[in-house]
Amino acid sequence: MTAAEAGAPRPANPLLVGWGNVLFKLRDGLFPAVLVLLVFLSRPQWPGGSQSADDLLDLVGVLVALAGQVLRAAVVGTVYIIRGGKDRKVYAEGLVTGGFFAHCRNPLYVGNILILLGLFTIWNGVLAWAVGVPFFLVGYVAIVAAEESFLRGKFGAEFDAYCARVPRWIPDFRGLRASLAGMRFNWARLVIKEYGSAAYWTAGAAALLLAESLSHQPWDARPVYHAACVAAIPVIAVLWGTARWLKKSGRLKED
């Protein structure tokens, strides 16, 4: 038995793969709907009833979400991998193993999870933590199981060898500089592929910060803070509209 064979993961549970295929098809609508529903059904909590402690928690949440976005941006800007599959089904023309994918098999999903954890940290609702975190974690585990089942069926031993040397979730950034050597960061591709999701979660974060604060105190208690949260949303909308116009008009093209 080779080292690659010894380290290759076992095939995933068929039920998990099946659920992953369902979520892969529905995730663009289902995941945002679940997130919004959890926010509406839960009440945000201030740690120990302290506004200052909540401000610190909000900062942590924003930083965690930003870390997820930075990871996604770094991945999309250096090595592009077809996302969304084909006809809403898992699909891949080739096995992408370069750049960040040489250090983590699912860096984009890790970025998504960090963004979600950041938003849950900002809101800090008991129901959101108790239901939302397990739902999304299991959801991404299932989606990855479905993708791995497809990739193993298509690429066989090549994919198993890749799995044996690269972690599924926790990135190992040793040697990252060598992996990115010679790669040109594609800013146009980054804007084209990421402007939508980046705008949605940042506007959502601003709305959560505002709603969470107003659920504990009136507008006049922190007028500057509340106004800043409100002002952030149209600014993000303008940036979103500008990026969309550049893309649709052809003024911004991916190489």
Side-chain angles (χ1 to χ4, degrees), residues 19-33:
W19 178 232
N21 282 316
V22 171
L23 289 178
F24 190 92
K25 181 181 297 186
L26 301 177
R27 59 182 175 173
D28 288 346
L30 179 62
F31 281 12

Side-chain angles (χ1 to χ4, degrees), residues 11-77:
N13 185 297
L15 292 177
L16 189 64
V17 172
W19 178 232
N21 282 316
V22 171
L23 289 178
F24 190 92
K25 181 181 297 186
L26 301 177
R27 59 182 175 173
D28 288 346
L30 179 62
F31 281 12
V34 170
L35 183 60
V36 171
L37 183 63
L38 287 171
V39 168
F40 274 107
L41 293 179
S42 62
R43 176 177 172 80
Q45 304 295 318
W46 276 4
S50 169
Q51 177 183 296
S52 59
D54 182 69
D55 287 342
L56 180 59
L57 190 65
D58 288 343
L59 177 60
V60 170
V62 170
L63 292 177
V64 170
L66 283 176
Q69 183 60 69
V70 168
L71 178 58
R72 285 187 56 86
V75 175
V76 174

Side-chain angles (χ1 to χ4, degrees), residues 97-230:
T97 62
F100 280 88
F101 290 92
H103 302 268
C104 178
R105 278 149 46 199
N106 301 285
L108 293 173
Y109 289 153
V110 172
N112 289 352
I113 291 170
L114 288 174
I115 291 171
L116 286 168
L117 288 177
L119 295 178
F120 282 129
T121 301
I122 291 171
W123 188 246
N124 197 34
V126 174
L127 182 64
W129 282 116
V131 177
V133 172
F135 172 81
F136 285 108
L137 289 180
V138 172
Y140 278 114
V141 167
I143 288 173
V144 167
E147 291 182 343
E148 290 187 349
S149 177
F150 174 87
L151 294 172
R152 182 168 290 107
K154 184 168 185 176
F155 300 106
E158 181 185 3
F159 178 69
D160 284 338
Y162 172 61
C163 291
R165 68 177 184 270
V166 178
R168 178 185 284 123
W169 294 111
I170 307 301
D172 181 358
F173 289 129
R174 291 176 296 181
L176 179 61
R177 179 174 296 183
S179 299
L180 299 179
M183 291 184 177
R184 180 177 63 86
F185 195 87
N186 193 322
W187 289 99
R189 181 171 67 213
L190 173 61
V191 174
I192 291 171
K193 303 299 182 184
E194 284 292 288
Y195 79 93
S197 59
Y200 301 149
W201 83 256
T202 51
L208 289 179
L209 289 168
L210 176 64
E212 182 232 1
S213 181
L214 290 177
S215 70
H216 289 88
Q217 57 193 345
W219 177 282
D220 292 342
R222 304 180 77 183
V224 175
Y225 176 85
H226 295 149
C229 292
V230 172

